């Protein structure tokens, strides 16, 4: 099927609320918190964690943004695509990344009310304490961003990553 033969895409939705415009102090606080969490985590792993949490939370805006940022940082399409099924495709990731992804899933989905001891211990075995603290902060921050994105129905598709050096 050629491009001309495809049915037209659905219309692009409109965001419910430009929340950052109406709460700029909250937005700026989130940006600062994000920057503080980022400082202690490998940049590629940081993007993988953000994509994974965003997949779980169904935040299309953040999936779009962080997939593009990960690609711009040198991440492969293959590893990004496999994130939604990382447990079935562990051979795409390092042991450290797998520990971070398991922790991301546990922190993001607190359905049992806690992060299981074995998940935390596995992550603690792969990260120094300061790095682990920043990783937990990064997971918490992306979950907060996801709540803003999903609630405000931010529209994906318009993010352009900053150039990487």
């Amino acid at each position: 099927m050629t491009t001309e033969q495809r049915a037209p895409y659905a219309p692009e939705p409109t965001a419910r609320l430009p929340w950052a415009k109406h709460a700029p102090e909250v937005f700026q606080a989130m940006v600062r918190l994000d920057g503080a969490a980022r400082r202690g985590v490998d940049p590629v792993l940081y993007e993988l964690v953000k994509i994974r949490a965003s997949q779980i939370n169904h935040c299309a805006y953040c999936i779009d943004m962080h997939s593009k940022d990960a690609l711009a940082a040198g991440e492969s399409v293959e590893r990004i695509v496999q994130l939604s099924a990382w447990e079935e495709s562990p051979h795409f990731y390092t042991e450290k990344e797998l520990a971070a992804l398991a922790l991301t899933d546990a922190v993001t989905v607190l359905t049992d009310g806690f992060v299981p001891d074995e998940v935390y211990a596995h992550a603690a075995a792969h990260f120094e304490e300061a790095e682990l603290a920043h990783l937990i902060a990064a997971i918490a921050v992306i979950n907060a961003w996801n709540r803003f994105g999903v609630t405000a129905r931010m529209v994906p598709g318009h993010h352009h990553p900053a150039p990487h050096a």
Side-chain angles (χ1 to χ4, degrees), residues 99 102-103 106-107 115-126 129 132-133 136:
L103 186 63
V107 171
V115 174
D117 290 340
E118 63 274 6
V119 171
Y120 183 85
H122 189 226
H126 290 280
E129 285 186 342
L132 182 58
I136 293 166

Side-chain angles (χ1 to χ4, degrees), residues 36-151:
R38 175 184 301 272
R39 285 188 201 104
V41 182
D42 172 79
V44 172
L45 179 60
Y46 194 72
E47 295 302 334
L48 293 176
V49 163
K50 286 181 164 245
I51 296 165
R52 180 60 189 144
S54 299
Q55 289 172 335
I56 295 167
N57 290 323
H58 303 281
C59 185
Y61 182 86
C62 292
I63 292 169
D64 175 65
M65 173 186 286
H66 297 295
S67 294
K68 288 174 179 174
D69 287 346
L71 289 167
E75 184 54 85
S76 72
V77 170
E78 190 170 50
R79 283 172 32 105
I80 293 170
V81 168
Q82 290 301 317
L83 272 177
S84 63
W86 69 267
E87 290 176 301
E88 288 79 34
S89 55
H91 58 288
F92 286 94
Y93 308 99
T94 67
E95 285 298 320
K96 188 173 185 175
E97 290 168 337
L98 292 169
L101 292 172
L103 186 63
T104 300
D105 282 16
V107 171
T108 301
V109 184
L110 292 173
T111 54
D112 292 330
F114 62 92
V115 174
D117 290 340
E118 63 274 6
V119 171
Y120 183 85
H122 189 226
H126 290 280
F127 293 89
E128 297 292 327
E129 285 186 342
E131 189 180 20
L132 182 58
H134 279 91
L135 176 62
I136 293 166
I139 296 166
V141 171
I142 189 56
N143 274 279
W145 281 120
N146 290 163
R147 268 86 181 142
F148 288 115
V150 170
T151 305

Side-chain angles (χ1 to χ4, degrees), residues 7-42:
Y9 291 133
E12 184 174 289
T14 303
R16 278 183 177 161
L17 174 72
W19 76 270
K21 174 184 168 189
H22 296 293
E25 65 288 347
V26 176
F27 178 78
Q28 288 305 316
M30 285 294 297
V31 168
R32 288 190 304 275
L33 183 59
D34 197 319
R38 175 184 301 272
R39 285 188 201 104
V41 182
D42 172 79

